[in-house]
Amino acid sequence: MNCWTRREFGCIAGATCLTALTPRAVTGQAKARIVVIGGGVGGATVAKYLAMSTATVDVTLIEPKQHYTTCFFSSLYLAGLRSFESLIHGYEGLAQRYGISIVHDSAAIIDPVAKTVGLESGARLPYDRLVVAPGIAFKYGAIEGYDEAATQTLPHAWTAGPQTMLLRQQLESMEDGGVFVLVAPPNPFRCPPGPYERASLVAYYFKQYKPRAKILILDAKDNFFGQELFQDAWSRHYPGMIEWLPAQFTGGIKAVDVKGRSVKTAGDTFRAAVANVIPPQMAGQLAQDAGLADQSGWCPIDPMTFESKLQPGIHVVGDAASAGEMSKSAFASNSQAKVCAFAIAASLTGSERFPPHLFNACFTIVAPDDAMSSAIGYQAATGAIKISDFFLSKVGEDAETRRRLVREADGWYAAFTKDVFG
Ligand SMILES: Cc1cc2nc3c(=O)[nH]c(=O)nc-3n(C[C@H](O)[C@H](O)[C@H](O)COP(=O)(O)OP(=O)(O)OC[C@H]3O[C@@H](n4cnc5c(N)ncnc54)[C@H](O)[C@@H]3O)c2cc1C
């Protein structure tokens, strides 16, 4: 495994647009009908990059929501460091600049024999190639008492939108001196540093407005991504405010009491003023219903093309995919989507295929002037996706480096959302 320097990391993190496909050539061929299900990071990127490709295609993107709200940077909104509106992105760019047909509906059923997608409205869309990118679903019931109704009292806020706003309202109305309990999920889950970044940013909010409040993280795991970096940041910025209890200490998270607003572990019951319960996860429901997921709950794919190993002819990208050692992140979903778009375009045009380059990079903000970063490169040549290059910030970096990373994170958000949504 190689280790990247900070300079090389900067190149990777800023390189989201460099892999753009060449503009579509005008040919006399019949157009291939590409249907993409899910207008999140993975689906929107596949749709855009296929529409830009040299292949002759008609691209349709199915997404029930009128706008997409990013999970990434949503904890900055919880901290009061970003507006909710700044997280929202429309689909007009994809429609107007790239000619993608946007259908605001939910895909209800996939018929892989007839090659059609049935929509909740009753309409049926035929396809030549199908890409499925539904993100995640939650394993309700894995924590006793935590079902969909419970999310209205104990929000997960792990898909962005009303849940994020609800959690912010609860933080605002919480009394000073209360305990914010954050339940962190088992692996694999969306955004490995996410729960700990959220704890950091909620601590920042408390430091401003509720300095006697405490944060208790009840973890389903015994360690987490970037642990040393987070614990260093917590001791520097929020001494005595954040306590992390691993599963080996509590015996694991067993149940919630919604009315009592409490979380039960094997040995204790923890009462919360506000509880943010992030449950175990699996591929989005449509992927489960369509037979794309295996017993792990995620969708096995061929890493060269992101074609399903269970349903040939259907591709899966983003968090729903079981992509070897790749994290479930927006950056990774975007990288997978480009590989998938190239593979589909290559098979339609008969052009040469290249071994895919897959990346993940992440900025994690722990205070308004302190961010850390990670960048990971992957190889997919041996049939599995494995880490080949790795960079992670270090404990003890100087304050200016950390301040610069906050500025770079802002720039990344703007460039990345432009790359995804046009
Ligand atoms: C708090 C938090 C912070 C994060 N921070 C970062 C970060 O800093 N960097 C980073 O890279 N990643 C981050 N992530 C992770 C990132 O948000 C996800 O990995 C990414 O959104 C996954 O993209 P996706 O396309 O797979 O799923 P999504 O973006 O969730 O998109 C799925 C889409 O599919 C649609 N859909 C579902 N079912 C259907 C259906 N049946 N028919 C039609 N449409 C359907 C949904 O409406 C949704 O729009 C963070 C996540 C969280 C929760």
Side-chain angles (χ1 to χ4, degrees):
M1 187 191 299
N2 299 326
C3 281
W4 279 326
T5 62
R6 182 169 293 287
R7 195 184 156 89
E8 287 164 335
F9 164 74
C11 297
I12 297 294
T16 51
C17 299
L18 295 182
T19 48
L21 299 165
T22 49
R24 188 191 309 180
V26 180
T27 71
Q29 291 167 282
K31 290 184 172 181
R33 296 159 303 179
I34 314 278
V35 172
V36 180
I37 300 175
V41 172
T45 307
V46 175
K48 174 177 156 179
Y49 276 75
L50 268 166
M52 287 165 67
S53 80
T54 50
T56 311
V57 288
D58 257 335
V59 182
T60 301
L61 180 63
I62 306 170
E63 164 61 47
K65 300 191 197 104
Q66 296 291 328
H67 299 100
Y68 181 76
T69 308
T70 63
C71 283
F72 42 105
F73 285 36
S74 64
S75 294
L76 288 168
Y77 160 72
L78 296 178
L81 292 168
R82 210 178 169 99
S83 71
F84 191 75
E85 292 65 40
S86 75
L87 304 172
I88 298 174
H89 302 273
Y91 293 98
E92 310 76 34
L94 294 180
Q96 286 160 17
R97 276 196 281 283
Y98 304 97
I100 297 166
S101 307
I102 312 288
V103 175
H104 287 298
D105 204 333
S106 277
I109 190 161
I110 297 170
D111 182 338
V113 179
K115 289 196 163 187
T116 58
V117 176
L119 304 181
E120 226 154 70
S121 61
R124 222 160 248 280
L125 288 180
Y127 65 81
D128 297 306
R129 302 293 169 119
L130 179 64
V131 183
V132 178
I136 54 166
F138 299 104
K139 289 186 177 170
Y140 291 120
I143 299 172
E144 196 189 317
Y146 197 73
D147 54 16
E148 203 162 351
T151 66
Q152 295 311 307
T153 311
L154 315 174
H156 54 70
W158 220 240
T159 46
Q163 279 279 296
T164 323
M165 294 175 95
L166 176 63
L167 183 55
R168 167 78 194 180
Q169 283 156 15
Q170 291 189 352
L171 291 171
E172 280 173 5
S173 49
M174 185 182 124
E175 76 278 18
D176 191 6
V179 179
F180 171 68
V181 174
L182 188 156
V183 173
N187 292 321
F189 66 100
R190 162 174 285 183
C191 194
Y196 315 97
E197 178 185 53
R198 176 170 288 172
S200 312
L201 290 170
V202 170
Y204 169 74
Y205 169 77
F206 286 160
K207 206 171 152 181
Q208 314 301 303
Y209 301 105
K210 323 208 174 202
R212 293 188 301 113
K214 297 274 182 233
I215 297 176
L216 177 63
I217 304 173
L218 297 174
D219 212 320
K221 307 176 289 301
D222 288 333
N223 45 57
F224 59 90
F225 183 85
Q227 185 168 337
E228 208 193 340
L229 283 160
F230 279 107
Q231 288 177 330
D232 166 66
W234 295 343
S235 66
R236 286 186 292 110
H237 295 294
Y238 317 111
M241 192 181 260
I242 303 177
E243 188 179 3
W244 172 72
L245 296 183
Q248 62 189 3
F249 183 85
T250 61
I253 293 105
K254 302 295 178 202
V256 294
D257 174 2
V258 177
K259 278 208 187 110
R261 223 181 266 264
S262 63
V263 180
K264 291 181 188 154
T265 61
D268 275 301
T269 297
F270 297 89
R271 265 191 67 82
V274 173
N276 175 200
V277 178
I278 308 168
Q281 294 155 35
M282 60 185 177
Q285 195 55 49
L286 182 76
Q288 311 289 334
D289 298 346
L292 292 161
D294 63 17
Q295 59 283 18
S296 73
W298 305 100
C299 306
I301 44 85
D302 172 353
M304 305 300 279
T305 58
F306 283 82
E307 184 172 359
S308 165
K309 284 185 174 166
L310 302 180
Q311 297 283 357
I314 302 179
H315 299 251
V316 183
V317 297
D319 286 353
S322 178
E325 294 182 351
M326 278 190 105
S327 304
K328 297 190 182 300
S329 78
F331 199 112
S333 301
N334 173 268
S335 180
Q336 295 169 5
K338 287 171 182 170
V339 167
C340 178
F342 273 109
I344 293 174
S347 78
L348 291 173
T349 56
S351 57
E352 197 182 344
R353 288 191 188 181
F354 300 97
H357 293 285
L358 289 158
F359 299 105
N360 184 32
C362 184
F363 294 96
T364 300
I365 298 170
V366 289
D369 58 353
D370 189 346
M372 46 229 208
S373 59
S374 61
I376 308 174
Y378 305 87
Q379 273 183 351
T382 52
I385 302 179
K386 291 201 179 301
I387 295 174
S388 57
D389 303 272
F390 186 81
F391 169 84
L392 181 62
S393 289
K394 293 188 176 43
V395 170
E397 282 173 331
D398 63 277
E400 181 43 38
T401 301
R402 293 302 189 84
R403 262 195 295 278
R404 201 188 63 239
L405 282 174
V406 175
R407 292 194 297 274
E408 285 179 16
D410 262 349
W412 171 78
Y413 184 92
F416 184 77
T417 48
K418 176 120 182 64
D419 184 41
V420 174
F421 294 103

